[in-house]
């Protein structure tokens, strides 16, 4: 069975600094997608970034980038130039052919002014 | 991006009553929708997959007779919590899948259910 593990329940970062959130997963599939979602206090799930497993190039979206290590089954999120608005819960998620999402337990990110 | 709405955004009900939550895809047709449950400070747990025109597929441990799902059209799925009890109090989130391209899913804003 597929699993997603986020080992950091909480992280803090100083405003304008860089922080990396960790995620590992386990699967026997070769074709899948990985995601990072942000959940602010409003509870609305917001897609931050997506990575297709067949793509070797790491995805980037403005200040957000990932380090995708397929062999190690690792998918970390780097947030550069952290802003106060980045404070939220961040969930790593996996999706394969059934389209079902499997979410990690989440990392609460605090941004310090 | 595509928009998914949920109604109501929050509901309070008495123990033993039934509550219906609607999930709508506003600007696309969704053959598949998903229902999640999120307890405070926890992750999203998939409850069931809702397929238009057919029976929902429930995850292990989810009581299908308690959580009734109907996907009567390509833009609407409903979740009915029957005979609700305080332990059913939770945040319920739906998502809808675009059936083409990346098959990306879009999440609704969630419904907070409180059972007294």
């Amino acid at each position: 069975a597929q699993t997603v593990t986020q080992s950091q329940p909480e992280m803090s970062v100083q405003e304008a600094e860089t922080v990396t959130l960790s995620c590992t997963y386990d699967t026997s599939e070769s074709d899948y997608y990985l995601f990072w979602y942000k959940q602010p206090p409003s509870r609305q799930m917001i897609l931050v970034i997506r990575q297709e497993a067949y793509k070797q190039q790491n995805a980037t979206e403005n200040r957000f980038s990932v380090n995708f290590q397929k062999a190690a089954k690792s998918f970390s999120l780097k947030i550069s130039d952290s802003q106060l608005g980045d404070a939220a819960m961040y969930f790593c998620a996996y999706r394969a052919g059934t389209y079902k999402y499997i979410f990690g337990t989440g990392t609460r990110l605090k941004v310090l002014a | 991006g595509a928009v998914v709405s949920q109604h109501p955004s929050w509901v309070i009900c008495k123990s033993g009553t039934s509550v219906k939550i609607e999930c709508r895809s506003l600007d696309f047709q969704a053959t598949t929708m998903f229902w999640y449950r999120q307890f405070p400070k926890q992750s999203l747990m998939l409850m069931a997959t809702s397929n238009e025109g057919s029976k929902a597929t429930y995850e292990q441990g989810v009581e299908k007779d308690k959580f009734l799902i109907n996907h009567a059209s390509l833009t609407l799925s409903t979740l009915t919590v029957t005979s609700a009890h305080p332990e059913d109090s939770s945040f319920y989130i739906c998502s809808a899948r675009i059936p083409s391209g990346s098959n990306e899913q879009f999440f609704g804003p969630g419904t907070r259910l409180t059972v007294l």
Side-chain angles (χ1 to χ4, degrees):
Chain A
Q2 296 94 349
T3 59
V4 177
T5 302
Q6 292 180 250
S7 59
Q8 307 155 315
E10 189 172 295
M11 292 284 284
S12 295
V13 62
Q14 205 71 32
E15 195 176 5
E17 297 295 311
T18 296
V19 65
T20 299
L21 308 185
S22 301
C23 173
T24 59
Y25 60 96
D26 190 22
T27 183
S28 57
E29 302 284 342
S30 58
D31 187 18
Y32 52 88
Y33 289 81
L34 295 165
F35 307 83
W36 278 98
Y37 279 89
K38 172 184 178 181
Q39 188 180 45
S42 68
R43 308 291 289 272
Q44 172 74 59
M45 297 290 283
I46 301 168
L47 177 65
V48 175
I49 200 163
R50 173 180 62 201
Q51 174 81 44
E52 293 95 327
Y54 66 87
K55 289 187 177 180
Q56 293 185 337
Q57 187 173 8
N58 290 324
T60 62
E61 286 289 341
N62 301 313
R63 297 183 295 109
F64 300 88
S65 62
V66 298
N67 184 1
F68 174 47
Q69 300 291 326
K70 190 172 184 178
K73 296 180 181 174
S74 171
F75 183 61
S76 61
L77 174 69
K78 185 172 81 171
I79 306 175
S80 304
D81 186 25
S82 297
Q83 301 175 359
L84 294 177
D86 294 334
M89 281 292 289
Y90 285 82
F91 291 99
C92 178
Y94 164 97
R95 191 195 86 202
T98 61
Y99 309 120
K100 294 193 297 187
Y101 280 58
I102 298 171
F103 287 89
T105 51
T107 297
R108 179 171 301 280
L109 178 65
K110 295 184 176 181
V111 181
L112 308 174
Chain B
V3 179
V4 176
S5 70
Q6 281 185 241
H7 178 80
S9 56
W10 59 271
V11 57
I12 302 173
C13 69
K14 292 182 179 180
S15 185
T17 61
S18 294
V19 174
K20 180 185 287 188
I21 302 170
E22 293 184 348
C23 177
R24 292 183 185 273
S25 56
L26 298 185
D27 49 3
F28 67 99
Q29 294 183 329
T31 54
T32 307
M33 292 183 174
F34 302 86
W35 287 95
Y36 297 84
R37 185 173 181 176
Q38 186 179 29
F39 288 108
K41 297 185 180 181
Q42 293 190 24
S43 186
L44 282 72
M45 298 300 295
L46 180 65
M47 298 175 65
T49 302
S50 171
N51 297 299
E52 189 268 336
S54 64
K55 291 184 178 181
T57 304
Y58 292 82
E59 296 299 302
Q60 191 173 9
V62 177
E63 299 175 61
K64 62 180 181 180
D65 294 330
K66 180 165 188 62
F67 298 99
L68 300 179
I69 291 173
N70 184 280
H71 195 153
S73 78
L74 288 172
T75 58
L76 173 64
S77 175
T78 59
L79 168 68
T80 301
V81 183
T82 62
S83 186
H85 291 284
E87 57 265 30
D88 298 324
S89 298
S90 187
F91 195 68
Y92 293 87
I93 302 175
C94 73
S95 71
R97 178 176 72 90
I98 291 182
S100 64
S102 66
N103 290 296
E104 189 167 343
Q105 292 183 26
F106 295 88
F107 287 83
T111 296
R112 180 176 301 283
L113 170 63
T114 301
V115 184
L116 302 176

